[in-house]
Amino acid sequence: MYDRRFFQSKLGQAAMVSIAAMVAFVALSTQMYASPAQAAVVCAQGELVELA
């Protein structure tokens, strides 16, 4: 099913882009973990972060 012809099609290319985006999201989201203690330090330094 997943042969060279599939990955050369638009659907196959879209699948590869989707997989790459998911891998990048997981890699970046695991680096963004902040403990509550770190968040308190950031707030104490006067930085304002607004969540939409």
Side-chain angles (χ1 to χ4, degrees):
M1 177 178 176
Y2 299 110
D3 57 358
R4 179 179 297 235
R5 208 168 34 137
F6 172 74
F7 289 113
Q8 289 177 345
S9 70
K10 286 190 176 190
L11 179 62
Q13 291 174 356
M16 289 301 294
V17 170
S18 175
I19 292 168
M22 287 187 285
V23 168
F25 178 77
V26 169
L28 293 174
S29 65
T30 57
Q31 293 178 2
M32 292 176 47
Y33 175 75
S35 68
Q38 290 171 334
V41 170
V42 170
C43 291
Q45 292 174 353
E47 295 179 19
L48 178 63
V49 177
E50 182 177 340
L51 299 176

